[in-house]
Amino acid sequence: MVSGVRNLQNPGRLVPAAKPLTDRVAPLIQKNVHSRFPTDAETLVRANAATQLIGGLMLATGKFTRPAALILAGTLVPATAAGHPFWNNDDPAARNNNQVHFLKNLGLFGGLLLAAADTEGKPGMRWRAGHRIGHSRRSVQRAVRTARREAKIAVRSAATARRIPG
C-alpha cells in the first residue's frame, strides 16, 4: 500500500523504467480495452499504483481477500518486470540489487497466489458442489429403498387381505 501511495503521488520517477514495458502493452490496451483509454507510461504507472493501493486496502481489511490477492499478484508482474530487470544490468552491484528485489517480488507473488487460493478454512466451491451431489445421490437412494420397502409391505397387505374370508 505504501508503494502504491508513493507511486500514485509521484509516478514520474518510475516512468523511465516502465516506458519499455508500457510501449509494448499500449497497443494491446488500445486494441482490446478501449481506444480512448490513455496509454501513456505515466497514466499506466498511476493506474497500477491505484490498483495496488485499493487491492492492499481490501486485503488488509479482509474484504474480498481472494480477488484482492489475485489482483495484487497481477499488478506485481509488470512492476517486477519493469522495475527490476537484473538481466539487463552490467554493473554487478546493480545487478545483485535488482536480482534481490526480483526474487523478493517473486516470493510475494507466490504468497499472493496462496492467499488467492485460501478459503480461510471454509470448503471451496468444488468441495461444496461434490458434497452436495453426493448428498443428493444418497437422498435419492434412500427414497428408492423406502419406496421399495413400502411397496413390498403394500403387496403383502393386499395378499393377506385377499386370503382372509370376508
Side-chain angles (χ1 to χ4, degrees):
M1 288 182 347
V2 172
S3 66
V5 170
R6 188 177 342 122
N7 297 340
L8 194 57
Q9 291 174 339
N10 185 14
R13 64 184 187 83
L14 298 176
V15 168
K19 189 133 178 66
L21 184 63
T22 59
D23 287 347
R24 282 187 275 164
V25 172
L28 294 171
I29 293 172
Q30 288 176 338
K31 180 181 174 187
N32 295 319
V33 178
H34 199 282
S35 61
R36 287 184 264 164
F37 189 83
T39 56
D40 61 288
E42 185 171 333
T43 302
L44 293 176
V45 168
R46 280 185 194 264
N48 193 49
T51 305
Q52 287 178 339
L53 176 62
I54 292 166
L57 284 171
M58 288 169 42
L59 194 63
T61 59
K63 303 292 180 196
F64 305 106
T65 54
R66 294 175 73 189
L70 199 57
I71 289 168
L72 285 171
T75 65
L76 200 56
V77 171
T80 302
H84 306 294
F86 65 91
W87 52 90
N88 289 339
N89 293 118
D90 293 329
D91 179 28
R95 181 182 186 92
N96 186 46
N97 186 40
N98 274 330
Q99 190 172 24
V100 165
H101 287 292
F102 182 89
L103 293 172
K104 172 202 52 133
N105 284 1
L106 187 62
L108 287 172
F109 182 76
L112 287 167
L113 290 181
L114 285 173
D118 182 27
T119 60
E120 298 173 1
K122 299 173 190 165
M125 290 300 289
R126 181 176 176 197
W127 183 88
R128 289 179 193 187
H131 183 72
R132 182 57 45 206
I133 290 169
H135 178 73
S136 297
R137 190 176 294 142
R138 286 188 302 274
S139 294
V140 168
Q141 288 170 347
R142 270 194 305 268
V144 167
R145 282 194 306 265
T146 302
R148 282 182 185 156
R149 191 176 327 113
E150 289 176 357
K152 285 180 185 178
I153 292 170
V155 167
R156 284 185 205 140
S157 295
T160 305
R162 272 192 235 149
R163 284 188 223 144
I164 300 176

